[in-house]
Amino acid sequence: MNCIAIIQARMSSSRLPRKVMSKLSGEPMIKRIYDLVNKCDYVDKVIVATSLEKTDDELFEYCKSNKLNVYRGSLNNVLSRFVDIIKKYNPKLIVRITGDCPFVYPVFIDKQIKILLQTGAVYIISKKEVKILCGQSVHSSSSLLFVAENSSCADDLEHVGSPFLIRNHGKFKVVGIEIP
């Protein structure tokens, strides 16, 4: 596989508990996000990655009963969920989607995938801050495995290595793009 999209999701949000199951046009947000990510031309598989905590049983059961691919792992070490999936499927790239980001834009995700495949870069950064496209990024699997082996920083584990890659961007091939 070239690319797997992983939607990290949990039910235990402190600001809005159960938000991934909040209804959007009659369906849970997690289903809407999953369906949008499935529209990406360059994504081979979509997986919801949730925790083993009891609080996420409802989300897990919803995914299973609605035939959404789902994986369970650590609540606080989100990066480890990604690493486990990478080790199982061995994709070249990983699309990271946050489960509370209903504004997934498949065209933007496909653009990132194409850029990484063409350039061999490990990560894409925006040349300017754009809030609307937060929660959807593409990484090389090798970069996430590197972060997992070289960082135990809680921020890196929770935010799937993005802070590490940004702090150390000079050590990796990173591409900056302009987002209109």
Side-chain angles (χ1 to χ4, degrees):
M1 285 192 189
N2 268 333
C3 188
I4 291 179
I6 301 173
I7 304 168
Q8 62 187 74
R10 62 185 172 94
M11 299 282 281
S12 58
S13 166
S14 58
R15 289 175 292 180
L16 182 58
R18 302 187 75 256
K19 66 183 164 187
V20 297
M21 295 301 286
S22 297
K23 301 283 184 181
L24 292 177
S25 299
E27 289 187 306
M29 183 176 0
I30 194 69
K31 176 79 163 75
R32 292 279 175 194
I33 294 169
Y34 193 96
D35 290 347
L36 281 169
V37 176
N38 258 323
K39 292 182 179 183
C40 293
D41 292 331
Y42 298 103
V43 170
D44 300 309
K45 187 177 198 72
V46 180
I47 301 172
V48 175
T50 192
S51 87
L52 291 163
E53 299 296 311
K54 188 149 190 67
T55 54
D56 289 319
D57 287 351
E58 178 186 354
L59 173 59
F60 176 76
E61 291 304 325
Y62 175 83
C63 290
K64 288 304 255 184
S65 65
N66 287 277
K67 297 182 175 39
L68 308 183
N69 297 312
V70 63
Y71 172 81
R72 296 185 92 170
S74 170
L75 174 65
N76 296 316
N77 186 345
V78 183
L79 178 58
S80 72
R81 292 185 230 161
F82 281 68
V83 168
D84 290 347
I85 292 168
I86 290 168
K87 287 180 178 178
K88 181 175 181 178
Y89 294 101
N90 197 31
K92 184 172 186 161
L93 301 175
I94 292 290
V95 178
R96 175 184 177 227
I97 306 287
T98 56
D100 59 356
C101 175
F103 300 110
V104 173
Y105 188 40
V107 172
F108 177 61
I109 293 168
D110 280 338
K111 179 178 179 176
Q112 291 180 80
I113 293 168
K114 283 194 276 187
I115 289 170
L116 289 186
L117 289 173
Q118 290 169 349
T119 65
V122 301
Y123 186 55
I124 292 177
I125 58 171
S126 174
K127 291 184 178 177
K128 62 181 179 182
E129 190 172 338
V130 179
K131 295 284 186 191
I132 193 71
L133 296 174
C134 292
Q136 49 196 312
S137 58
V138 182
H139 306 261
S140 72
S141 294
S142 61
S143 69
L144 295 181
L145 293 172
F146 183 86
V147 174
E149 291 174 12
N150 292 283
S151 178
S152 58
C153 172
D155 210 30
D156 294 332
L157 303 180
E158 179 184 351
H159 299 289
V160 191
S162 295
F164 182 94
L165 294 170
I166 291 168
R167 284 191 316 271
N168 296 285
H169 72 273
K171 296 178 183 176
F172 301 96
K173 186 171 183 181
V174 178
V175 174
I177 62 171
E178 292 276 342
I179 300 172

